[in-house]
Amino acid sequence: MVDKLSWKRLILESMFFYIPWIIAGLLFGHMVWFLLVGTVIQLIWHMHNQMKALRWLLSDKRGLPPSGTGSWRPIFDGMYRLQKRHRRRRSELSGLIRRFRNGAEALPDAVIVFRSEGNIVWCNTLGQSLLGFRWPDDSGQPISNLVRNPEFIHYLQTRDFSVPLEMPSPLNLERTLELRIVPYTDGEHLMVVRDISKLKQLEGMRQNFLANVSHELRTPMTVLQGYLEMSKEPEILVGPMWVKAHGVMTEQLMRMNSLVKQLLTLSKIEAAPTHDLNEEVNIPSIIEILEKEAIALSGQEAHVFTFNVDNSLKVMGDEDQLRSAISNLVYNAVKHTPAEANITVDWFRTPEGACFKVMDSGQGIAPQHIHHLTERFYRVDKARSRETGGSGLGLAIVKHALSHHDAQLSIESVVNQGATFSFVLPKRLISNAGH
């Protein structure tokens, strides 16, 4: 049971302490001197206990409190219980802070805590990498001194945080950051920073995609509209004029139909879920059909074709996607290679897997264009692409189809010497029947 200190106890202890001194004073006289000696002894005892308490408070305080008697025993016990309660609360608080920081470190966003006046309290690792903070060196620094963007400083001064702020990264102007500030605790704010560069890039790609599709469809639709308006006066479209008009309209309709088909193919491949590639694809059979189609497409251009195919090499994958990838590479070679030039198609086994390669001896591609070729609607020579009916989507289809098979398109080219387009399907995709 815990001893309690009360006025009654203090009075009783004082009475028991002074009774012997009073009796001695009555027996020997000099009552005042005996009481004075007793009082001095009591003061020395209290001072001794005060010093013990002070030494314990100034020390580590992890051990047991000093032993005491009388009224000092409940005081020491009470101090010890209070210390244990504070130690437990401090441990709980440290655990909460640790869990908060671990949670903040696990977030995909930068987290910064700062006071209302702007001084930084804490930031996570991403806050250091996105904003260039140094922790703990920047603790207590005004955040406006570290992020010197005028828009950000104005945002802090207005104190209107209902709308997030977008600004360039202070470390890389090509990256865009989104900042959200919310009240955290009394006198503090929490700032969450997110890198939205990819979102901005995707938004730009979407806008360019819509603009390119609109542009690609506008030309044939304008041509068709012009001839349809001319058809209001039948006497205009007679004889050779009708033959020309019919040919042009047919050509433009085929161009729109080809564009729509490629858009649908690209959309289908992009939207295809990741799945097990457990369908055996007979690539040699696909190439055999493509060989006939390539010769027919070449027509009067009279390209010289060479097909080197390992007829036993089959793979596991998505047949439609692989057919789209291979056919686009072969058709591109036919369309962009000068007449009577050489086109070589290879399908063979390598230590890494199954390799498909298309080589031509055409004009080649300048280095600055190569890494853009798989972008939608990108063309090296726009005028020639329109003449050949190219939409700029073929290599984008190839790229996405190959990505579903853990493969990448490789492009090598030397200007005026030709180009080579190739990819290698991983060895694990080679069909057991092809061994």
Side-chain angles (χ1 to χ4, degrees):
M1 184 175 177
V2 179
D3 293 337
K4 293 184 178 180
L5 190 63
S6 63
W7 284 106
K8 181 180 179 181
R9 177 172 177 172
L10 288 173
I11 292 172
L12 289 175
E13 284 187 0
S14 298
M15 289 176 60
F16 282 117
F17 175 79
Y18 278 108
I19 285 175
W21 298 100
I22 293 174
I23 294 175
L26 292 174
L27 293 176
F28 299 103
H30 307 288
M31 176 70 69
V32 175
W33 287 104
F34 276 101
L35 291 176
L36 180 61
V37 171
T39 301
V40 170
I41 292 174
Q42 189 177 45
L43 288 175
I44 293 173
W45 178 71
H46 281 299
M47 290 176 64
H48 172 70
N49 284 286
Q50 287 177 357
M51 293 302 299
K52 288 198 300 183
L54 181 62
R55 283 194 298 269
W56 179 67
L57 290 174
L58 295 179
S59 65
D60 194 14
K61 297 183 293 184
R62 293 183 180 179
L64 294 174
S67 59
T69 58
S71 60
W72 281 96
R73 181 177 179 181
I75 292 175
F76 287 144
D77 290 343
M79 292 170 63
Y80 181 61
R81 290 194 303 273
L82 183 63
Q83 180 220 23
K84 287 179 63 178
R85 186 161 59 249
H86 286 173
R87 187 182 301 163
R88 185 173 60 253
R89 289 179 179 176
R90 185 171 58 190
S91 177
E92 293 174 354
L93 182 59
S94 297
L96 287 173
I97 294 175
R98 184 170 58 255
R99 286 195 293 272
F100 166 77
R101 291 187 174 181
N102 291 338
E105 290 290 353
L107 289 174
D109 304 323
V111 178
I112 298 95
V113 179
F114 64 94
R115 296 187 178 90
S116 298
E117 60 272 16
N119 295 339
I120 296 176
V121 176
W122 181 81
C123 72
N124 65 353
T125 304
L126 271 179
Q128 302 174 53
S129 61
L130 287 182
L131 297 174
F133 292 170
R134 294 178 299 171
W135 188 260
D137 296 344
D138 290 333
S139 176
Q141 292 290 327
I143 194 170
S144 56
N145 288 354
L146 302 176
V147 182
R148 298 179 177 272
N149 185 289
E151 295 180 1
F152 175 71
I153 295 175
H154 177 72
Y155 186 63
L156 286 178
Q157 293 174 346
T158 57
R159 296 285 176 177
D160 182 11
F161 305 135
S162 57
V163 179
L165 172 69
E166 293 183 6
M167 71 172 198
S169 167
L171 301 180
N172 186 349
L173 297 179
E174 295 182 358
R175 298 171 67 181
T176 303
L177 305 180
E178 181 188 72
L179 290 78
R180 292 179 180 271
I181 298 179
V182 295
Y184 179 51
T185 59
D186 189 18
E188 292 184 352
H189 288 84
L190 182 72
M191 183 170 72
V192 180
V193 183
R194 176 174 299 174
D195 188 345
I196 59 171
S197 303
K198 290 185 178 179
L199 293 177
K200 286 292 184 181
Q201 184 179 7
L202 289 174
E203 178 64 19
M205 291 174 61
R206 184 187 69 84
Q207 294 176 354
N208 291 334
F209 177 74
L210 292 175
N212 284 324
V213 170
S214 301
H215 179 74
E216 291 295 329
L217 291 175
R218 187 181 297 115
T219 300
M221 291 177 66
T222 302
V223 173
L224 290 173
Q225 182 180 4
Y227 281 109
L228 287 173
E229 290 177 353
M230 291 174 62
S231 67
K232 294 179 181 179
E233 301 179 13
E235 63 275 7
I236 296 179
L237 296 177
V238 295
M241 187 63 182
W242 168 247
V243 176
K244 178 182 178 182
H246 184 272
V248 172
M249 287 190 290
T250 302
E251 178 185 345
Q252 295 301 324
L253 282 172
M254 290 177 62
R255 179 178 171 186
M256 282 196 295
N257 183 53
S258 175
L259 176 61
V260 171
K261 285 176 63 177
Q262 287 197 308
L263 285 172
L264 290 175
T265 300
L266 180 59
S267 176
K268 180 181 177 181
I269 292 176
E270 286 183 328
T274 303
H275 52 78
D276 295 331
L277 303 174
N278 52 12
E279 176 186 2
E280 185 179 78
V281 183
N282 191 341
I283 299 295
S285 177
I286 294 175
I287 296 176
E288 182 181 357
I289 297 173
L290 282 176
E291 181 178 0
K292 299 175 183 178
E293 294 178 353
I295 293 173
L297 182 62
S298 175
Q300 297 179 355
E301 298 291 326
H303 296 101
V304 179
F305 292 97
T306 302
F307 284 81
N308 303 311
V309 180
D310 183 348
N311 291 314
S312 66
L313 183 55
K314 301 176 183 179
V315 296
M316 308 302 292
D318 187 298
E319 183 172 354
D320 291 337
Q321 293 184 16
L322 290 177
R323 180 187 288 108
S324 295
I326 293 172
S327 61
N328 272 290
L329 292 178
V330 174
Y331 294 159
N332 274 355
V334 176
K335 292 177 181 179
H336 298 93
T337 303
E340 301 181 357
N342 296 320
I343 297 177
T344 302
V345 178
D346 294 332
W347 172 247
F348 58 100
R349 191 190 308 269
T350 69
E352 292 76 25
C355 179
F356 180 83
K357 183 181 296 185
V358 179
M359 296 175 286
D360 65 65
S361 56
Q363 299 175 353
I365 306 166
Q368 66 268 23
H369 295 295
I370 290 179
H371 68 282
H372 292 294
L373 290 179
T374 55
E375 297 175 5
R376 297 168 181 168
F377 297 106
Y378 188 85
R379 299 182 181 91
V380 175
D381 187 344
K382 295 184 178 181
R384 176 168 173 79
S385 294
R386 296 188 194 283
E387 290 176 4
T388 58
S391 63
L393 293 174
L395 293 182
I397 292 174
V398 174
K399 173 186 175 182
H400 286 87
L402 294 180
S403 68
H404 287 188
H405 294 77
D406 295 331
Q408 292 183 339
L409 179 63
S410 175
I411 305 174
E412 300 175 0
S413 181
V414 178
V415 177
N416 297 324
Q417 294 185 24
T420 300
F421 294 79
S422 64
F423 63 84
V424 177
L425 297 177
K427 192 174 182 179
R428 61 181 175 80
L429 293 182
I430 295 179
S431 171
N432 291 330
H435 287 288

